[in-house]
Amino acid sequence: MDNWILKQAYLVPNRIAVDDGKTQLTFAKLKQEVIKLSGQLKTADVLEGQRVAIMTSNSLSGYLLALAILGSNRSIVWINWRLSDEEITRQLKDSNPSMCLVEDKLWRDSFQKGFMKFSSLMRVPAANYQLVSEFHDEDVASIMYTSGTTGRPKGVMQTFGNHFASAVSSSLNLGLSAEDEWLCAVPIFHISGFSIMMRGLIYGMTIRLVSHFQPENIDQILTTEPISTVSVVPYMLKKLLTLRAQHDVPYNSNFRCMLLGGGPIDHQTLKLCQKYRIPVVQSYGMTETCSQIVALNYEDAERRIGSVGKPLFLTQLKLGENQEILIKTPALTKGYLNRSNALESKKTSDGWYKTGDIGHLDNDGFLYVDGRIDDMIIFAVRIFSQMKSSRSILQEKKLMK
Amino acid sequence: MDNWILKQAYLVPNRIAVDDGKTQLTFAKLKQEVIKLSGQLKTADVLEGQRVAIMTSNSLSGYLLALAILGSNRSIVWINWRLSDEEITRQLKDSNPSMCLVEDKLWRDSFQKGFMKFSSLMRVPAANYQLVSEFHDEDVASIMYTSGTTGRPKGVMQTFGNHFASAVSSSLNLGLSAEDEWLCAVPIFHISGFSIMMRGLIYGMTIRLVSHFQPENIDQILTTEPISTVSVVPYMLKKLLTLRAQHDVPYNSNFRCMLLGGGPIDHQTLKLCQKYRIPVVQSYGMTETCSQIVALNYEDAERRIGSVGKPLFLTQLKLGENQEILIKTPALTKGYLNRSNALESKKTSDGWYKTGDIGHLDNDGFLYVDGRIDDMIIFAVRIFSQMKSSRSILQEKKLMK
């Protein structure tokens, strides 16, 4: 495929690519900015290796730098700025980027060699630099770590092909229009946010960047700006609904839906969505699948409370052993960094990815996620232990008799 | 990927899949019909080989049978019913289908062994038959012949992956909505029509089938039914515009655009489109690329008269030797049937497909198709011959002196 940044600058040069509330950049301007930043990355020797890490809020400069990394044919290593020094060190050790670029306001005194402030980079002159002309399906665009706070970190490698498949699957479900504008208040270091950035490039769509979630601010934007779609988690949705109770003005006329990740909603919340005419599309996905792979459309929401919906067009889904949710999708990661067999070990012999979630399907094929298989196993082990204990006690009692 | 027929019956069972003006079938009902027909194909031994030919107008039964062939994991060989007996024989000899299914009204007395009327098939009882659960990217969905009236026929093999890439590329340009309905008055044996059928399955969109182009009828449908999109060629567009001059009622409110293939339009025609508020999207494509790969959006039409537009998102395009239009796209055929090197011979050493068309790009990257390279070569040869002749004459004159 052509480089998506160059392609949209060619196809829709005058359309707004990104808007942070202060600055609006067209796709043509975006291209210029990305070329300049790539030249600066070059000068600063940041393009020495194959990967560049970035630690940023949803700032315009973070967004642009991430694209400059992609445009320079390097992989982005997304660093969650909420992590401890120790966790960050572990992830950087694993991914071995040539540099970790840090937004100034997130700088920590502990950062030494291998870290660079955005402002330091901006002071560097830009070398002449030509962006790569193609994005290849198999190339790794981004790496995101999914480990918890302990254990060896697991870097999920997301390819351009994965992001493309995800964006296409989403568009086949939610629809697509040249007037679409997606509000991104979820973090871009997380797949929920980065997938919005990718959709922006693939659809030629405006991304409205918001640095952090302030309910009043989001409500205001949804009311006054032509936002068609916004990604939220249940907490955000509830906060926004509370504000709706206080406001008379409806969301703007271009508004089409809220894409909800991070768990299904309860009946009461849905009732409020209906009351305020906010179509909410619930979804299920993970870092390994580049965001949503299953979605519940608004029309079905009322009759399927608790369900995450049906597999998207490109998602194949079935239940395996112990009711584990198994999937196949071109959006599935090509693997975990430096762990050559880790993905294979999570697949069945015939190639289905084991999500680790257990679930069930109702008669019409709507999926309900019932928990983590680990929890179920832990639970089963506990029951089993208890049974054993009981038996032991019984046996002991017998023996005592 | 999941079998598209089964997938849409699962995702949007109650949405209308196809409407021929008399019968409307939901995707759920479509699935039932296709299963039944596949069972009949099985009983009639039509599924013995890997291919089934079909000769049909844009009839509902032809549409359903084509899907039954796909659903049974066989390739459709599309036979143009306008061809001579001799041409049909050549194509069938090349593709070697287990049967050629013929719509009753297109039956010819010359058809003997290897041909079967739709009505004969319908009388056969349906065996129990399970549709294939997956459509594979690399599998051949359809074969269409592109040869002229002479020479060995060239069967273009179009894979499921080709059709999917084409449908996605189109949606990224034209947009997509759950309310879309595409009017198909172009023949389904041609890629312009069959690509609409494929989009229907991929988008979960209603196809409005029209057996043949009657301007009054099409105008009526566009006015009274919720058609969003219609594919036309210049002849059809002009006929429809003539009718617009006589009618007061505008097209229905769901109408979004006319997709025009088969050559760009002149300024006068565009003026009429503007007058009647008919957004026309001009396009360029071929059987080998599963329809459009370049399109000119309506906003750009006035300033780019004569252009076919810009390459779609998945199309890579450049000009090669002699200004030949070169492309790369996942919608490109995997090859010509029984001609293992024919496609390779039409590619450059670095994998670009040589379209055989010559063209130029303006400063903003809009493509203009200037003719066939063969014609140019013929022209060049003629000029060269004339020059030679002139020289000969001169020489003769010299000699005579």
Side-chain angles (χ1 to χ4, degrees), chain B residues 246-288:
Chain B
Q246 302 159 22
H247 294 175
D248 279 343
V249 190
Y251 288 165
N252 80 88
S253 61
N254 201 32
F255 186 72
R256 205 159 76 236
C257 80
M258 286 212 185
L259 182 62
L260 177 75
I265 53 173
D266 54 80
H267 200 256
Q268 195 185 351
T269 307
L270 179 64
K271 281 283 160 211
L272 288 175
C273 290
Q274 290 168 334
K275 180 175 175 188
Y276 302 121
R277 293 202 177 78
I278 299 175
V280 58
V281 173
Q282 299 173 66
S283 67
Y284 165 73
M286 54 210 78
T287 307
E288 281 85 346

Side-chain angles (χ1 to χ4, degrees), chain A residues 112-147:
Chain A
Q112 303 287 332
K113 193 167 167 294
F115 292 86
M116 185 182 226
K117 275 188 190 171
F118 284 5
S119 59
S120 307
L121 180 70
M122 299 308 161
R123 280 195 296 271
V124 166
N128 261 329
Y129 194 80
Q130 196 155 24
L131 299 187
V132 64
S133 64
E134 294 185 344
F135 283 172
H136 297 116
D137 277 6
E138 287 303 311
D139 283 356
V140 176
S142 47
I143 295 167
M144 291 184 185
Y145 282 89
T146 59
S147 66

Side-chain angles (χ1 to χ4, degrees), chain A residues 11 210 333:
Chain A
L11 291 180
V210 177
T333 174

